[in-house]
Amino acid sequence: MSTLLADLSLRAKLYGVRTLLSLPRPLLSALAGEPPPAASGLDPEAWTLARLADRVDVPISGVPVEALRHEFEVEVGPLSLRADLPVTGEDGRAGGVPSRLYVPAEDSAPGPLLIYYHGGGWARGSLTTHDAGCRLLAHLSGVRILSVDYRLAPEHPFPAAADDALAAYAEVSSSPGDFGADPARLAVGGDSAGGNLAAVTAQSVRNRGLRPAAFQLLIYPVTDLAAKTESYHAFCTGFSLTERNMDWYADQYVPDPGRRDDPRVSPLRAASLAGLPAAHVATALADPLRDEGEAYARRLADAGVRVALQRHPLIHGFVTLGGTRSGRQAVALVAGALRQGLA
């Protein structure tokens, strides 16, 4: 089958999934059944999606990385919000790194700005995969969002992504007017691997004495690549993101396991989290990364950082699921936290 036909087939199947997920929740519950005890309370949409994903789960190791990136871009389209939101997007560069600036219609510069790092295991994500999610987040929060297209592994392993993340932040913080940003209302944020880069950037900014951000938005972040928590074992398979695929991502980004306890890889392992910006940490109930994200929130609180933690009854990846009810609801809650954090 040609690539075009394969793409069309995948899109058609995913639009069918989106239609299925629009059924009333009681009907979805009846169709999908009860989730296992470890995932008790999981939203019926999330459990239905997890069960469907499990039917087609294949290891990503051995697949050419360019094919994986293309597949990710095709996958997110049908499950993203397709409405014509009143948000503009303009491509440019920040710190020499390609980026896209989203400006909501009600924006009045200078105003708050979130520097956003996309997910995708440091290897698969892009401006395209997270375009719809960033537009929705900008629209619901009323906050400008600068999405940063950092270099990807395995071509560019650690510390390339962390360096790019910091370079983009450094330029915005030193020249906020160029991005329509209020220097007192800058935030760093991201999802999954991007949440990792946001946490790492906040620590690097503190350690280097740069102008600090006012807020961190960490969405199901990777915070410790050097160890595995109980949620890794509870949700190792059957919930979209698998332990096997997380292992592959780690191998691409940090091939040497001996370097994975570096705080710029595993921010949970930093000696101190004192002096970091206030944070909102959003985790997903049935996600291998859940426990390490929540452990990071607890350590922030123990260090005297103002932090809010919210566990969503969903699976990993809800930022790119804005075309579903549960995905939109979760992004709306995250957007409210961002708006309040930068008020």
Side-chain angles (χ1 to χ4, degrees):
M1 184 181 294
S2 70
T3 300
L4 176 59
L5 289 177
D7 289 353
L8 291 173
S9 176
L10 178 57
R11 285 194 178 100
K13 291 176 182 177
L14 289 170
Y15 276 117
V17 169
R18 179 169 166 173
T19 300
L20 175 63
L21 295 178
S22 69
L23 293 173
R25 281 189 167 94
L27 182 53
L28 282 178
S29 295
L31 290 172
E34 289 294 321
S40 178
L42 190 63
D43 185 283
E45 284 183 25
W47 177 226
T48 302
L49 187 59
R51 293 202 65 182
L52 292 171
D54 191 46
R55 290 175 178 269
V56 296
D57 176 50
V58 293
I60 59 178
S61 59
V63 179
V65 70
E66 288 298 337
L68 292 172
R69 291 168 185 162
H70 176 74
E71 181 183 59
F72 191 11
E73 292 189 355
V74 173
E75 287 174 349
V76 298
L79 298 178
S80 298
L81 184 67
R82 307 308 296 170
D84 186 16
L85 297 174
V87 175
T88 63
E90 180 179 351
D91 289 351
R93 302 184 79 82
V97 184
S99 61
R100 183 173 296 160
L101 180 63
Y102 298 94
V103 181
E106 67 272 27
D107 177 83
S108 178
L113 182 143
L114 169 68
I115 302 165
Y116 192 89
Y117 310 109
H118 61 73
W122 304 278
R124 297 181 69 188
S126 67
L127 296 181
T128 299
T129 59
H130 284 65
D131 180 79
C134 285
R135 288 179 187 273
L136 181 59
L137 184 58
H139 172 61
L140 294 175
S141 67
V143 172
R144 288 182 172 224
I145 295 178
L146 183 73
S147 183
V148 177
D149 204 20
Y150 55 87
R151 287 172 291 171
L152 299 179
E155 301 95 324
H156 305 285
F158 172 79
D163 288 344
D164 286 356
L166 181 60
Y169 177 87
E171 178 168 341
V172 175
S173 65
S174 63
S175 303
D178 293 347
F179 302 88
D182 176 352
R185 291 192 288 168
L186 294 180
V188 291
D191 64 293
S192 195
N196 168 274
L197 294 174
V200 166
T201 298
Q203 290 188 17
S204 296
V205 167
R206 177 200 61 181
N207 296 344
R208 297 179 182 217
L210 302 178
R211 181 200 298 268
F215 190 68
Q216 302 178 75
L217 183 66
L218 310 179
I219 306 171
Y220 37 84
V222 182
T223 66
D224 192 355
L225 274 188
K228 293 181 178 179
T229 60
E230 181 56 37
S231 60
Y232 253 92
H233 305 297
F235 307 113
C236 61
T237 189
F239 294 92
S240 185
L241 178 64
T242 66
E243 179 182 17
R244 174 177 56 191
N245 287 351
M246 271 304 303
D247 289 344
W248 183 86
Y249 291 134
D251 288 342
Q252 308 316 299
Y253 185 49
V254 193
D256 179 3
R259 302 188 70 186
R260 294 179 188 171
D261 60 356
D262 185 326
R264 295 187 73 211
V265 173
S266 299
L268 184 61
R269 294 180 174 259
S272 172
L273 302 188
L276 292 175
H280 180 87
V281 180
T283 61
L285 187 158
D287 181 358
L289 305 182
R290 184 192 72 192
D291 289 354
E292 63 192 79
E294 296 180 359
Y296 196 72
R298 289 193 296 271
R299 277 208 62 203
L300 285 169
D302 290 344
V305 175
R306 181 167 56 86
V307 59
L309 170 65
Q310 183 166 27
R311 179 189 291 183
H312 296 265
L314 302 175
I315 59 175
H316 189 86
F318 59 72
V319 164
T320 57
L321 299 176
T324 67
R325 288 169 300 191
S326 58
R328 285 194 301 275
Q329 290 166 357
V331 175
L333 290 170
V334 169
L338 175 61
R339 184 172 56 250
Q340 182 177 4
L342 291 177

